[in-house]
Amino acid sequence: MRIPRLAVLAACGSFVVAADTPSKAPAGTTAEMFSEDLTIAMLADGRVLLHFDFEMHGPQATNSSLHSYGLLPRQIGEIAQRYGVSELQLAFTQGTWREARWGVPPAAQGIGAEVIAQLADGADADAQWSGLTNALSGVFCASLNFVGTESTTSPRLAFAHSQRGGALRHGFLPRENVCTENLTPWIKQLPCQAQSGVAALLNPHRLFNMHFLSVAMALNSDADTLRYRQTLSVVVDTPAYDRSWALSALAGRALAAPCPVATRSSVRVVAPAAVQVAPQADSTHSAGTSVTHLFDLQRRRVDDIVFTFSAEFDDKTKYWAAAKDTPVPAIAAHRHITGHGSSGGIETVITNHRDVPMTVAYFDAVPWYLRMYAHTLSVRATGADGHTSQLTPNQIMFTPAVDRGRPAVLELELELPPQSRTVLRYDFDKGFLKYSEHPPDANRGFTIAPAIVSYSLAPSDTARPLSCTPGTTCAVRVYTEPALASLPTPDFSMPYNVITFTCTILALFFGRIFNLLTRDFAVLTPAK
Amino acid sequence: MSLVLSGQGEKTSPLLRVARKYSAYLSYPLAICGLLWLLALPLSSFSRRAYFSENAMMPGQVYTTFGTQSHMDAMDRVDAELKTKDQAQAVEAVFASIGLDTETQEFTYTKVPRIGKHAGTNVHGILRAPRSDSVEALVIAASWTTANNASNVNAVRLMAGLAQYASEQVYWARDIVFVVTDSGEQGIEEWLRAYQGLTTTSPLFVRSGIIQAALSLELPPAKRYTGLGLYFEGKGGQLANLDYVNMVQYVSRLERMPAYLHGLKDVPRRAHWWTKYTSATQLLLRQVRAQAFGLSTGIHAPFLRYRIDAITLAGLPQPDDPVSAVFAHGLFTDADVPAAPMQRQIGRTIEASFRSLNNLLEHFHQSFFFYMLPANQRYVSIGDYIPAAGLMIASLLLQAMHLWWMQGPDELRSDSPHTRITRINAYYALLRATLPSSVGIIWRVHALGLVLLLIPQLIASSVLTDATTTAYLFTMALASISMVLHTSDIYWTRRIEWQQLKSIVSVYLAVVVACLSVMNFSLAVALFVVAGLPLVFTRVCRVDTRIRRALGVLMLVAVSPVCMMTLGMHVLGCSSNPFRVFLADFYRFGSLVYPLVCLVYWPVNLLCMIIVLIQ
């Protein structure tokens, strides 16, 4: 009897050790791998982009509850297994990426919280999805559990490139703000947390004093491997209007020694040639006007990086001129709500900046309370010659909305002419909501999730996101800005007035009647 | 049948019976009471002290910092750019150098249908709020000329300074759009239409989210300003939310650059009540003029049509200002900019206002959208002024009820139960005989109004100059009056009940005034004064001789649209015939005044004449 017990205890002990110091427990983690990279890019308007990229590989769990997770976060592995997730993307984004100034985004994310999941076939996908969002909500302290059926869609065109069979679900919460409570669990999933390596720069005080912040994770589950990637992109102002500043001043923290379990630990600096970078990088290569400096933190210890700008950057107005030369992404999309009053419309402008026709998929999920009229859809393209003509989509998929059930989904496949501007328009009427369906700040309006334009980037295109390796074909998603639709709002103080009136009257009547019924009236004779 | 029965007192409640008994005497005092109520509105006991309903605004809770060297430099950059470039390009260059997303909008418009094309240019720059989602925006707008056709370059300069100031701050929760137009209200209207995606001829592509509030600036040439004028009425009588008006008044006082409603300064607190009363009356009359007829000052007016709260702040030059005096003689140069402390004070007022607008969590909704402001920082709520309209409507309705009862011969009104069946039959026969002719007259007169409404939109109206407009109006007036004489000539020989006709017209007018009073109180009152009052007093005494009838018609001609508009040209301060102004506003901004004149005021006036003329 004693021996098995001891064995169990020993097993538990070794497991705990393995989880705490993975590098010292080679047995269970030989296949596990972790790499950390930081890209620092000087943007054309004088701001700085920091893009953190952490990647983990591990073997697929064979026996769910007893699987030993070394580097990979156990909570994520278990969630993936429990809900049959083969692919999962989650992003929290705040701030708009200004592609006209900053160029190509490091990874496209729409403002708000977005979950995309590929769920295994067979099982009840809706139940799995609901469980998944609730679990993620708990892990990341986010309101993802509010991704109900009303904001869930199953795109058919937009994410076709990532489709591997099974049920694809997409959920978007446009009003979700990114907060430290989302960042903390995200940091805790890193093997060295924020204690060492480039992750030491993850200083919440600095990260949230930003212009753009996107915290994302992606899970990819094969038959035998589990890949988990955590990325964080942030655009911040330079520390001061000074010609020379250090990375430690920018982040408010210094670089630490690389994470001991990391197989790769690097810092990449992309800056104009006029910017001097000290210390000397391990390798540099230039492309166009910008130079890439690469630091390998595993080869040598780098405590700080100092950037010195030449005098030509003194004049801040030159930044704006420089912004005009920033390589623009192939496709840009912006969406606006049109009209006012009880009806309105949506106008999306998609610009093709390339000299070749581009095939894009347009995806827009319109909430049911904006009663969309599919017959009002018009697509007009203005070419480089200024000539405007009707553009016929290659494919139209429209799913009508169900009240309080699902959103209306419009998916189009469009072939955009070269150097063209395409304007999509469709109209809607604003529905009346029950008073209890309004958010607490009803008069602000309802935020409508961004529309998504996805396309595949040609290998020859140089303006590509950081996540996309050069020389390959990548699937790129472009998000429009969210929109605000103001719906007719009732006077919410009315029920309150009615309640107070009724209560007052009740109290008065009840008080008097109660008094009359319970009090005993008697004539007192003065005591002598 | 129920019409007959109720006319015969068969189906009436005791309350109605009492009302009918006294209706003959009640309607005149009620109309007078309504007017007296209006006259009582300027009394200080009627108004209450302004307060903030929206606590999120937190007005005056920030230290204002506008006026540093970089802001002044940005203002000077406008002058430098203006030396080499035209207006639109200069502003665009300044905005771009500050780091705003800019766009120029070229557009053409027609002032009145088919009267020549005018071209205009709008420039706007958008300051993107850091870490925001660009779904909401605030607007600062200025035109190159003020409402009085003075140069407004001071406002454009100040806007550049404000853009520089705003671009240095990180606390903005919504984007700020700076718009400069060269075509006044029409330019802003075109810009708004493009911004809202309502036009495809001159679209905008650099846009932000929905506009939550707007502020327009007017700084006529002057060295020093004694304060700011605050204007808040929209084109169709919409008003900016009272919280917005209060907030701007409050923060402007903190910055010692007080914003006065319509530019009328405060009356000292210890002034004689009559002084207070006259000052309040003056202010209210200006509001009624602006609200009822859309004769507003400032380019904020088009915003209100799109449910965007907007106001105009206009600088009030000192009476003895040297630059202002020089400008009056046309010798103004752009180098004569306002004194730096003035610019700082006005800039800080706007800064403080925008900080408060930035604090808003929702669209303005807490406070009143319907109000009258009899003095700075005081208001009369809708509950206190709407009874005036109620009294007027009640007077019309009571008279209608009384007249309906009084139609036909006296036998119909006997109480004898023996003749009940006979009475009902006689009454029914009377209605069958007279109702079609009454309704027929009303239709005919309205058709005339419809012609008046449509002709200016159908004819090639390049002929619609000032002189021809007046001529056209008089021709229409003569034609219609001769038609009136002709129709009444026909009906003299036929049996027609004037009581019945007046009763129907009264109900019709009461309904129109009632609907209007909850949309545009000033316009409803104006309509009642020019059309309702004459109707109430039409045929109040016997018109049995030709002289009396002629007198009655003459009095009605005096309150007819033609006379009123010719007189009103000076009262309203229009530069041209009000008819033409209303027509243009109807065409450009969908103003209600012109259709109301054509389809209600004029027909009712003509019907009054017919009522006088029927024997």
Side-chain angles (χ1 to χ4, degrees), chain A residues 96 101 338-339 347 421 425 443, chain B residues 99 101 196-197 205 207 362:
Chain A
T96 316
R101 291 198 187 144
T338 64
E347 187 180 293
R421 177 191 267 155
R425 285 166 155 273
N443 281 282
Chain B
D101 292 345
Q196 311 242 1
F205 290 103
R207 284 193 247 169
E362 304 174 52

Side-chain angles (χ1 to χ4, degrees), chain B residues 72-151:
Chain B
M72 296 297 174
D73 288 348
M75 293 200 221
D76 293 339
R77 227 178 297 152
V78 174
D79 296 334
E81 294 282 356
L82 274 175
K83 288 200 176 81
T84 53
K85 293 173 186 156
D86 71 14
Q87 291 176 333
Q89 286 174 336
V91 170
E92 184 160 24
V94 173
F95 282 168
S97 74
I98 294 168
L100 310 185
D101 292 345
T102 58
E103 189 175 9
T104 307
Q105 184 199 16
E106 312 258 351
F107 58 89
T108 53
Y109 63 94
T110 49
K111 272 193 168 160
V112 186
R114 289 174 294 283
I115 286 199
K117 292 255 178 210
H118 300 256
T121 314
N122 294 331
V123 181
H124 75 272
I126 301 178
L127 176 85
R128 305 285 182 185
R131 88 194 84 164
S132 86
D133 44 7
S134 271
V135 296
E136 291 172 282
L138 303 171
V139 170
I140 303 187
S143 178
W144 281 103
T145 50
T146 65
N148 302 325
N149 265 332
S151 158

Side-chain angles (χ1 to χ4, degrees), chain B residues 292-489:
Chain B
F293 306 112
L295 303 169
S296 52
T297 332
I299 56 170
H300 68 285
F303 282 99
L304 287 151
R305 283 185 70 200
Y306 298 98
R307 202 172 164 258
I308 300 165
D309 293 285
I311 56 158
T312 286
L313 284 178
L316 304 171
Q318 274 190 348
D320 54 345
D321 192 87
V323 176
S324 191
V326 166
F327 178 76
H329 295 98
L331 298 168
F332 171 78
T333 57
D334 283 354
D336 294 325
V337 298
M342 286 290 130
Q343 296 186 335
R344 198 170 299 139
Q345 276 175 304
I346 297 174
R348 286 185 176 187
T349 302
I350 295 160
E351 177 189 354
S353 310
F354 266 67
R355 289 296 294 275
S356 279
L357 293 177
N358 189 46
N359 285 340
L360 276 179
L361 304 171
E362 304 174 52
H363 196 90
F364 274 113
H365 70 283
Q366 296 271 22
S367 194
F368 294 95
F369 284 99
F370 299 99
Y371 52 81
M372 308 207 87
L373 304 175
N376 292 312
Q377 299 193 302
R378 294 190 77 81
Y379 77 99
V380 180
S381 88
I382 184 167
D384 291 337
Y385 69 71
I386 207 77
L391 288 170
M392 294 168 181
I393 296 158
S395 120
L396 280 172
L397 286 179
L398 271 181
Q399 196 170 53
M401 199 166 80
H402 173 69
L403 288 172
W404 189 261
W405 170 240
M406 291 302 286
Q407 62 180 319
D410 282 341
E411 298 90 81
L412 280 179
R413 284 178 287 281
S414 93
D415 272 347
S416 157
H418 305 293
T419 56
R420 185 170 166 264
I421 301 296
T422 346
R423 269 188 290 133
I424 288 177
N425 282 340
Y427 196 82
Y428 189 63
L430 174 80
L431 284 189
R432 274 193 70 173
T434 54
L435 204 55
S437 41
S438 300
V439 175
I441 293 178
I442 292 173
W443 275 121
R444 240 176 270 191
V445 174
H446 275 85
L448 193 76
L450 197 67
V451 172
L452 187 69
L453 178 75
L454 291 180
I455 282 185
Q457 306 193 51
L458 297 176
I459 59 165
S461 25
S462 51
V463 292
L464 260 186
T465 57
D466 246 6
T468 47
T469 310
T470 318
Y472 163 70
L473 273 179
F474 275 103
T475 319
M476 283 304 288
L478 282 179
S480 50
I481 289 171
S482 61
M483 195 209 83
V484 165
L485 292 173
H486 179 66
T487 10
S488 27
D489 214 29

Side-chain angles (χ1 to χ4, degrees), chain A residues 89-431:
Chain A
Q89 291 177 34
L90 173 65
F92 302 97
T93 307
Q94 195 171 1
T96 316
W97 181 270
R98 316 268 172 220
E99 92 279 339
R101 291 198 187 144
W102 300 343
V104 187
Q109 254 84 42
I111 296 172
E114 185 188 34
V115 200
I116 306 169
Q118 187 82 46
L119 301 166
D121 264 334
D124 179 6
D126 288 329
Q128 301 278 69
W129 169 251
S130 154
L132 174 69
T133 50
N134 276 286
L136 289 174
S137 162
V139 170
F140 289 99
C141 295
S143 322
L144 295 171
N145 50 331
F146 289 111
V147 179
T149 52
E150 279 184 45
S151 46
T152 299
T153 53
S154 308
R156 283 173 288 182
L157 280 177
F159 305 97
H161 50 264
S162 68
Q163 201 142 15
R164 291 192 297 188
L168 181 68
R169 289 286 184 277
H170 178 247
F172 209 105
L173 292 175
R175 281 198 72 177
E176 184 77 1
N177 283 321
V178 195
C179 190
T180 38
E181 64 187 9
N182 308 128
L183 184 69
T184 309
W186 185 90
I187 289 179
K188 278 190 176 164
Q189 292 179 353
L190 297 171
C192 299
Q193 301 198 353
Q195 301 303 314
S196 63
V198 296
L201 297 177
L202 291 170
N203 174 7
H205 290 286
R206 198 68 191 90
L207 292 182
F208 288 96
N209 184 8
M210 48 61 191
H211 293 267
F212 171 84
L213 174 67
S214 178
V215 182
M217 52 140 284
L219 179 82
N220 210 320
S221 164
D222 277 346
D224 49 350
T225 53
L226 204 59
R227 291 160 183 277
Y228 188 55
R229 188 172 188 178
Q230 288 176 272
T231 53
L232 185 146
S233 325
V234 62
V235 175
V236 286
D237 276 321
T238 51
Y241 293 116
D242 200 356
R243 261 192 229 165
S244 177
W245 47 267
L247 180 60
S248 57
L250 184 79
R253 280 185 192 171
L255 267 173
C259 181
V261 292
T263 50
R264 191 178 76 234
S265 189
S266 75
V267 176
R268 205 156 62 101
V269 178
V270 185
V275 178
Q276 286 181 351
V277 180
Q280 186 70 42
D282 297 315
S283 69
T284 56
H285 65 90
S286 57
T289 55
S290 72
V291 181
T292 307
H293 309 257
L294 199 70
F295 296 89
D296 188 350
L297 302 187
Q298 301 234 303
R299 269 176 49 190
R300 59 166 176 158
R301 176 81 192 259
V302 177
D303 290 324
D304 206 352
I305 303 175
V306 180
F307 305 91
T308 310
F309 288 72
S310 63
E312 68 179 278
F313 289 92
D314 278 359
D315 185 3
K316 207 158 186 307
T317 55
K318 282 208 176 132
Y319 282 123
W320 310 119
K324 289 204 169 68
D325 305 329
T326 314
V328 283
I331 300 287
H334 295 280
R335 188 186 64 176
H336 304 279
I337 294 271
T338 64
H340 65 285
S342 62
S343 60
I346 285 177
E347 187 180 293
T348 312
V349 182
I350 309 174
T351 317
N352 177 9
H353 288 295
R354 294 292 173 262
D355 294 325
V356 287
M358 301 280 285
T359 305
V360 301
Y362 175 80
F363 168 85
D364 197 1
V366 183
W368 63 265
Y369 42 79
L370 302 183
R371 302 184 192 286
M372 183 183 157
Y373 296 117
H375 75 276
T376 57
L377 173 73
S378 91
V379 189
R380 299 184 71 80
T382 309
D385 54 352
H387 178 70
T388 304
S389 60
Q390 197 81 34
L391 189 73
T392 313
N394 296 347
Q395 221 177 329
I396 302 180
M397 288 186 180
F398 178 68
T399 319
V402 172
D403 278 7
R404 297 174 181 86
R406 65 171 190 221
V409 178
L410 176 71
E411 288 187 84
L412 303 174
E413 191 184 290
L414 298 167
E415 178 132 340
L416 306 179
Q419 296 286 4
S420 66
R421 177 191 267 155
T422 307
V423 180
L424 262 83
R425 285 166 155 273
Y426 34 95
D427 295 343
F428 55 71
D429 274 345
K430 292 172 183 169

